[in-house]
């Protein structure tokens, strides 16, 4: 990080920011804002605009982060923290991805050490979704729909511990209302009738991909909440006077405030009301530098306006030069390859129906949706509903292909997947964002148990494609050759180019490939992430005179024993490792097979995976923490080889 | 089965049924009823009372089955099948446990071969919950809340396949409305606006344990449905004239009919309106013989009344003598032992809070609830909500112990369990009804993946107690000694007395016990069910001169390597088996450990579990099908020993 320079706001507006410069607001400015004389509503508004600058700063530095909902909720969050929340109260966001906004408030108020604004999505810094190890976080969120349930649990604990009765403010998304658990959690609300509960709906109209109304219109939301026994309020979520009035009305019942907000509020071209395409652009990624530059100007103009109204002329802006994010080499991407494959197959197989749970941008389904609108089902954030629908589509003669992030797809609807499997139906499940990378979003989004859950399912074959070729072939195999169900585990992060894996094709069931030859040690793995690291490790080790054999298989619950014997029989030592937990994981599957069949007389056998709670941070930080980067893997082998 | 005798209805009313006699109605009587002249409503009523006799017959023969909801829904189901459903239509029950009633209708109409009425919950007969391999079943249900989602999938398939647009009638429970998926599935209902969907709520007021209103009052149900965009109707579900009128009203919208029914309808003392205690007695078990005798008399009187009204004098009743259910030996039961243990610990640990999901009768929590009403939380059929509440109870300083059937507890809220585990909280999960037994309810209730799901979780130790002692000690260990979370896997079926296991106490973490000594072959297992079978197998084998060593461990994801080495090192052959799937299961955990540590030079290693979709039937039928009964296990060993 370069030296920090401070400007007056007018200088900042006039000067251009270079490609490597970012702007933020120091904590002492927030301290001053809080003490300004004048309207408390204006103060909160100024505070929230300054916080927007910092939230945007964090996202730009991280290269990703949820901008749209941070901005839609920042007025509310600022107001709550400046004027409402008492020490015995709790506030948390059920959706959790609006954390850059929350962190901006927490750092401004000293709840979080201010230096954290430079560490969003970095190891040892701030995770992409809340974690209770971060000061100010009351519970882990990021898996949707859990917020109200969690509040009920806190109330029970408070009663048990005879604690002072603090209020609980739960912010939820509007897309989040598609999750069944949200409604499930309301069932006992009226019976328990705890008026300390305040649910605030950040009704910004846009879910991950597009307008909520285009996915599953919420209908008469007020009537729904009223029917579930809540005291219902509704206001413009950027009108703090109205919002505060509703907060202060107490009818002795648990309360919901539907706050009509604007996604991306504060930057004209990011506001959802100015959306020109079907898809909203600023849900989770970082804007480009041109957009950043324009955005900063707009925010600074708002700040100027508000500062003037509050007679605060000394508003200072800090500018800092950051290290460029290394965008190195050529990358391979599995999602676009998969995206092409499903289109191609759908042309020949008219029974293919693709189902999606509000992640069409991430699961590569836009081309499919455009080409086969009749065979594309947008289920919304409703994984259980999606899988049960897929099951009967299959019973009715269709071939459903179900998409979501692996972390959600293999957990939220697990009972539904089992139910479908007991119907002996053929359903293809495609879980993207699989494995410990990206590490930025944190544990709620890191699928490190999906292999276990899906591979243990009756009548299910699990595959993790290693190359673009294999991503295509895996789907072909699932559609054309497998009469049962298939789980396709897709890594979403770009994969470094690596000659050894780039052109790998899918062999027959249970057979993998040898990536590097070597007689000193053998390593078997699955998936592209560790394959690349292992090829690199083999190069490091070669320079030390050690030659390792690296083997990779796309088949996660099938193994051809003859092949396995052939490739491992001469090993002097064997490591099985995985981009996944090794507790009841892929390694156990392989090692058990080795024990069971007695084919391996290898004296030294080891396993390694993402054990415990996955670390968050940049890819290299996360792999290194779990000792799954090339260097750690090379060291591991070195130690084992030296021992013998 | 003894010889069948036919009586006139008046003879049947006058004669007593002996303890081994049961009464049913032959198919030809139903055929006659359908052709009687007179009111179609009276005909349907008579049909439904005759079907009640057969549903009761099936439940009595099986020794279990869901009586209350079969009876509450039988008028509706009879009407639909006699007068409404066309060949292109589909009917299914989302709750699924009312299947004895449905089977009674299906056998009466020839949709199912009539002989099936003698085979409820028997291997090769009719499963306790619907399975599509049974004629007349459109989808597998029994896991709650999936019905409407499934209908949406059928509609998609019909459109895809350009099929005739049949209607879909989905019956749901009222307790079932507590499941989030139900509401999740309604989100897209109004957008898709398919008026072929008819949801019928069997609003019988009582869920598994008690009155729905005492668990989570449904509030203004009509308003809820209306807010979700459904066309809402409400009527007395036993008033077929009113019901039919509502079926025939079409406003071009998907429809819900709230049918106010009486649980146990038709037998005065089984009707919920005559409930005297908090708990409803006739949800799932079979009545005793006295109750049966009284019930039959009441049903026959109703039939007499209706037959007379329809001028049908030749109504015949068949009586048959059945084999007595073998109630042999002394049994041990883990649930009562657990029940005592939680009370005892709760006296010393004031932070213990017990959470239940509408299975208080089955999870042994009634004594706890009575003793510590303030620390008992009835969550209703809302497992996701329950687990998320448990998580924040733990964060707030409580020690939550979460209860449900293993099949539901480890699947429906799996993402919530992971979320709690990432909070590093201490929560105790107690999954009862674990394993493949009882086999009667069928696959929806057979937990054969719970070990995998829970043992792979970060910061979770899994234990399966083998004896009453161990059930108590497992909970003690979880409460007092484990600083992380614990999963306690409880077998609910009575365990045959077996000296080798009855007094087993809990050793330290990772250490099990040797049940029988022998040098010819070694078998390692977990849990009481297979332990008993293996001790029996050892006796069978002893008589053939083969001595096997049987080892059992309660620790499902911890193993003391020194102990393991000690007990298996001299084995000539080793089998690891489990009352659970061996695909990514306990066996893989053990075998992987053996491979990894190289402690075992055993030449022949095998594994065995409940693989594929679990079979249904009586315990002996199910174990035998999966080759996990004593005889099959002995044969397995014999074959392996002879080979060497």
């Amino acid at each position: 990080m370069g030296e920090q320079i401070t400007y007056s706001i007018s200088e900042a507006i006039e000067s251009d920011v270079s490609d490597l410069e970012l702007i933020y607001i120091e904590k002492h400015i927030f301290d001053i804002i809080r003490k300004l004389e004048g309207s408390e509503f204006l103060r909160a508004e100024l505070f929230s605009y300054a916080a927007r600058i910092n939230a945007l700063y964090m996202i730009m530095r991280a290269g990703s982060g949820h901008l749209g909902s941070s901005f839609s909720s920042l007025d509310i969050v600022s107001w709550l923290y400046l004027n409402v929340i008492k020490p015995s109260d709790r506030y948390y966001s059920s959706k959790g991805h609006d954390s850059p906004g929350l962190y901006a408030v927490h750092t401004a108020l000293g709840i979080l050490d201010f230096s954290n604004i430079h560490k969003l999505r970095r190891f040892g810094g701030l995770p992409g979704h809340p974690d209770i190890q971060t000061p100010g976080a009351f519970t882990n969120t990021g898996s949707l729909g859990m917020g109200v349930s969690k509040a009920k649990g806190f109330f029970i604990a408070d009663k048990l511990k005879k604690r002072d009765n603090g209020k609980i403010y739960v912010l939820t998304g509007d897309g989040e209302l598609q999750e069944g658990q949200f409604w499930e959690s309301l069932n006992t609300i009226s019976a328990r009738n705890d008026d300390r509960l305040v649910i605030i709906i950040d009704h910004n109209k846009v879910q991950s991909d597009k307008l909520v109304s285009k996915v599953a219109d919420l209908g008469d939301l007020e009537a729904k909440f009223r029917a579930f026994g809540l005291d219902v309020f509704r206001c413009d979520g950027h009108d703090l006077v109205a919002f505060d009035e509703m907060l202060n009305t107490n009818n002795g019942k648990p309360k919901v405030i539907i706050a009509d907000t604007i996604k991306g509020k504060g930057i004209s071209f990011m506001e959802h009301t100015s959306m020109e395409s079907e898809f909203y652009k600023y849900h989770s990624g970082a804007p480009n530098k041109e957009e950043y530059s324009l955005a900063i100007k707009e925010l600074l103009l708002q700040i100027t306006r508000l500062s003037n109204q509050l007679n605060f002329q000394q508003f200072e802006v800090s500018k800092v030069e950051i290290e460029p994010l290394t965008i190195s080499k050529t990358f391979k991407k599995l999602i676009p390859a998969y995206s092409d494959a499903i289109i191609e197959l759908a042309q020949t197989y008219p029974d293919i129906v693709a189902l999606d749970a509000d992640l069409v941008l991430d699961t590569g389904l836009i081309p499919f949706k455009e080409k086969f609108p009749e065979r594309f089902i947008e289920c919304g954030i409703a994984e259980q509903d999606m899988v049960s629908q897929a099951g009967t589509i299959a019973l009715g003669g269709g071939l459903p292909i179900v998409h979501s992030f692996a972390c959600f797809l293999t957990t939220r609807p697990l009972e539904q997947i089992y139910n479908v499997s007991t119907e002996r139906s053929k359903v293809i499940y495609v879980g993207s964002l699989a494995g410990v990378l990206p590490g930025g979003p944190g544990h709620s989004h890191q699928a490190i148990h999906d292999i276990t859950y899906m591979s243990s399912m009756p009548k299910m074959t699990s595959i993790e494609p290693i190359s673009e070729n294999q991503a295509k072939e895996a789907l072909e195999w699932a559609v054309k050759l497998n009469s049962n169900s298939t789980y396709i585990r897709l890594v979403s992060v770009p994969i470094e180019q690596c000659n050894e894996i780039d052109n790998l094709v899918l062999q027959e069931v249970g057979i993998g490939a040898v990536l590097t030859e070597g007689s000193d040690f053998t390593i078997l793995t699955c998936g592209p992430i560790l394959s690349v690291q292992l090829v690199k490790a083999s190069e490091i080790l070669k320079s030390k005179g050690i030659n390792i054999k690296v083997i990779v298989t796309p088949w996660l619950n099938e193994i051809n024993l003859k092949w396995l014997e052939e490739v491992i029989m001469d090993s002097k030592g064997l490591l099985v490792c995985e981009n996944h937990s090794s507790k009841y994981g892929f390694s156990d599957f392989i090692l058990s097979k080795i024990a069971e069949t007695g084919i391996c007389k290898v004296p030294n056998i080891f396993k390694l995976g993402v054990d415990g709670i996955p670390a968050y941070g940049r890819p290299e930080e996360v792999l290194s923490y779990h000792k799954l980067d090339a260097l750690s893997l090379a060291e591991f082998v070195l130690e084992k080889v030296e021992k013998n």
Side-chain angles (χ1 to χ4, degrees), chain A:
Chain A
M1 185 163 132
E3 213 183 326
Q4 173 224 321
I5 307 163
T6 304
Y7 293 81
S8 76
I9 194 154
S10 54
E11 284 171 317
I13 291 173
E14 276 155 36
S15 68
D16 280 328
V17 281
S18 80
D19 275 7
L20 292 179
E21 282 172 342
L22 294 176
I23 277 174
Y24 67 92
I25 313 294
E26 282 284 4
K27 180 169 185 300
H28 71 268
I29 301 293
F30 289 98
D31 294 341
I32 296 170
I33 294 172
R34 292 166 63 194
K35 289 179 197 140
L36 291 174
E37 294 199 354
S39 151
E40 56 194 348
F41 299 103
L42 274 183
R43 261 203 314 268
E45 206 181 335
L46 177 58
F47 185 96
S48 83
Y49 272 97
R52 280 184 176 87
I53 295 224
N54 283 1
L56 182 57
Y57 168 80
M58 285 188 250
I59 291 168
M60 290 300 292
R61 268 199 92 127
S64 65
H66 293 85
L67 192 153
S69 53
S70 287
F71 279 32
S72 66
S73 61
L74 255 171
D75 291 335
I76 290 167
V77 176
S78 298
W79 181 256
L80 289 174
Y81 273 93
L82 291 180
N83 301 287
V84 180
I85 292 173
K86 297 188 187 67
S88 62
D89 296 340
R90 295 178 182 91
Y91 165 85
Y92 55 85
S93 163
S94 177
K95 48 182 170 173
H97 51 248
D98 44 13
S99 55
L102 183 67
Y103 294 149
V105 172
H106 281 184
T107 47
L109 296 175
I111 294 170
L112 265 174
D113 189 90
F114 191 76
S115 65
N116 278 298
I117 76 155
H118 311 303
K119 297 182 208 155
L120 179 65
R121 296 182 171 228
R122 294 296 302 271
F123 184 75
L126 301 171
H129 293 82
D131 183 283
I132 48 161
Q133 296 202 319
T134 309
F138 286 103
T139 178
N140 291 6
T141 55
S143 300
L144 299 179
M146 302 181 185
V148 175
S149 302
K150 284 170 181 272
K152 295 193 297 183
F154 279 129
F155 288 133
I156 293 167
D158 285 350
K159 193 175 159 201
L160 181 77
K161 304 299 269 185
K162 300 184 173 60
R163 253 192 304 261
D164 179 28
N165 287 347
K167 281 189 183 271
I168 301 184
Y169 299 90
V170 182
L171 189 83
T172 82
D174 46 9
E176 187 178 7
L177 304 182
Q178 288 158 7
E179 276 293 358
Q181 187 183 354
F182 180 81
W183 301 99
E184 183 173 306
S185 70
L186 295 187
N187 277 321
T188 47
I189 282 287
S190 60
R192 299 201 196 162
N193 198 31
D194 204 318
D195 69 348
R196 294 177 300 149
L197 174 64
V198 182
I199 304 168
I200 302 163
I201 313 292
D202 177 16
H203 194 8
N204 63 27
K205 315 295 183 294
V206 181
Q207 51 192 109
S208 170
D209 287 342
K210 53 186 186 178
L211 287 170
V212 177
S213 59
K214 300 280 180 197
V215 176
D217 194 81
L218 290 168
D220 189 344
L221 197 50
E222 288 163 76
K224 285 184 185 175
F225 287 135
R226 216 169 280 124
F228 275 87
L230 288 161
D231 207 12
V232 185
F233 298 86
R234 184 161 194 159
C235 67
D236 175 346
H238 306 296
D239 176 351
L240 296 177
V241 178
F243 178 64
D244 191 56
E245 197 183 307
M246 290 179 179
L247 281 175
N248 290 325
T249 312
N250 189 339
N251 299 323
K253 281 171 78 178
K255 175 192 293 188
V256 61
I257 301 175
I258 302 167
D260 287 298
T261 56
I262 292 170
K263 194 145 176 173
K265 169 72 180 179
I267 300 170
S268 61
F269 62 91
M270 292 184 182
E271 295 187 351
H272 80 267
T273 41
S274 66
M275 266 167 87
E276 281 169 8
S277 98
E278 179 184 3
F279 299 107
Y280 179 72
K281 268 180 73 181
Y282 306 97
H283 176 73
S284 61
N288 64 34
K289 279 301 294 194
E290 292 68 40
E291 292 168 325
Y292 176 68
S293 208
L294 287 169
I296 281 294
K297 293 235 156 109
E298 285 201 24
L299 293 175
L300 290 175
L301 284 170
Q302 294 286 359
I303 286 174
T304 307
R305 173 181 64 85
L306 292 158
S307 299
N308 286 339
Q309 286 185 271
L310 285 158
N311 291 316
F312 175 36
Q313 308 304 341
Q314 292 78 40
F315 200 105
E316 273 173 10
V317 173
S318 301
K319 183 147 70 173
V320 73
E321 195 163 307
I322 57 159
E323 293 162 35
L325 280 173
T326 48
I327 305 163
S328 65
K329 302 161 210 162
T330 322
F331 287 103
K332 299 282 177 177
K333 289 183 176 179
L334 300 189
I335 302 292
Y338 172 81
S339 191
D340 292 345
I342 189 170
I343 291 266
E344 203 180 308
L345 283 160
Q347 279 160 344
T348 329
Y349 291 82
D351 291 339
I352 287 179
V353 175
L355 297 95
D356 172 67
D358 190 36
L359 287 167
V360 75
L361 294 164
D362 301 271
T363 55
L365 287 179
I366 292 182
F368 182 95
K369 172 178 158 25
E370 282 168 3
K371 194 149 182 113
F372 306 102
E374 295 294 308
R375 288 153 65 188
F376 173 79
I377 315 290
E378 180 50 73
C379 301
I381 310 170
E383 297 79 9
Q384 302 193 338
D385 186 39
M386 173 167 70
V387 169
S388 292
Q389 288 184 76
T392 43
I393 290 172
L395 289 178
L399 174 49
I401 309 184
V402 182
H403 303 77
S404 185
F405 284 159
C407 53
F408 307 137
L409 180 62
T410 69
T411 59
R412 192 62 66 113
L414 193 70
E415 190 175 4
Q416 288 74 9
I417 295 173
Y418 174 64
N419 173 268
V420 171
S421 94
T422 65
E423 291 179 330
R424 296 91 172 157
S425 296
K426 174 169 172 167
V427 174
I428 300 169
Y429 300 91
V430 183
S432 51
L433 210 80
V436 75
L437 302 183
H443 37 61
S444 59
H445 287 58
Q446 290 166 300
I448 57 156
H449 300 104
D450 58 317
I451 296 180
T452 299
Y453 302 151
M454 299 304 274
S455 300
S456 58
M457 196 61 67
K459 300 187 171 290
M460 179 84 68
T461 307
S462 303
I463 310 180
E464 182 169 3
I466 299 143
S467 63
E468 292 173 345
N469 273 340
Q470 279 195 357
K472 185 169 177 284
E473 290 169 319
L475 185 64
E476 276 172 12
W477 181 83
V479 169
K480 296 180 184 177
L481 298 175
N482 190 13
S483 59
N484 292 316
S485 292
T486 308
Y487 172 54
I488 300 178
R489 178 181 215 239
L490 289 182
V491 156
S492 289
V493 290
I495 301 156
E496 284 178 52
Q497 180 147 31
C498 170
N499 293 333
E500 285 79 356
I501 70 165
D502 286 351
N503 299 307
L504 278 184
V505 294
L506 196 68
Q507 305 289 324
E508 62 184 270
V509 177
I511 293 185
V514 175
L515 301 181
T516 70
E517 286 289 357
S519 58
D520 295 321
F521 200 84
T522 304
I523 305 184
L524 194 157
T525 193
C526 56
I529 299 297
L530 291 200
S531 292
V532 169
Q533 296 301 319
L534 286 168
V535 169
K536 285 186 183 176
S538 78
E539 285 154 16
I540 298 171
L541 288 163
K542 193 172 279 170
S543 72
K544 296 179 195 290
I546 294 166
N547 295 305
I548 62 169
K549 182 191 268 194
V550 175
I551 310 164
V552 62
T553 177
W555 305 97
L556 303 174
N557 61 354
E558 295 284 351
I559 196 100
N560 179 306
L561 295 178
K562 202 160 153 267
W563 171 76
L564 183 64
E565 182 171 11
E566 224 172 82
V567 291
I568 69 165
M569 67 187 305
D570 297 327
S571 307
K572 291 183 192 141
L574 173 70
L575 168 69
V576 182
C577 60
E578 57 195 299
N579 172 17
H580 182 267
S581 167
S582 75
K583 219 175 152 188
Y584 272 68
F586 170 76
S587 320
D588 279 354
F589 165 68
I590 296 288
L591 295 188
S592 166
K593 216 42 125 176
I594 288 173
E596 196 184 351
T597 52
I599 53 176
C600 179
K601 309 297 170 205
V602 180
N604 302 297
I605 300 185
F606 310 93
K607 69 174 187 176
L608 209 56
V610 181
D611 294 322
I613 297 164
Y616 58 89
R618 290 202 183 148
E620 61 278 12
E621 292 171 336
V622 169
L623 288 181
S624 158
Y625 175 84
H626 289 290
K627 303 204 178 301
L628 292 170
D629 60 315
L631 200 62
S632 304
L633 290 164
E635 278 167 9
F636 182 94
V637 173
L638 206 58
E639 192 201 338
K640 301 306 173 194
V641 171
E642 278 171 357
K643 256 198 188 160
N644 288 295

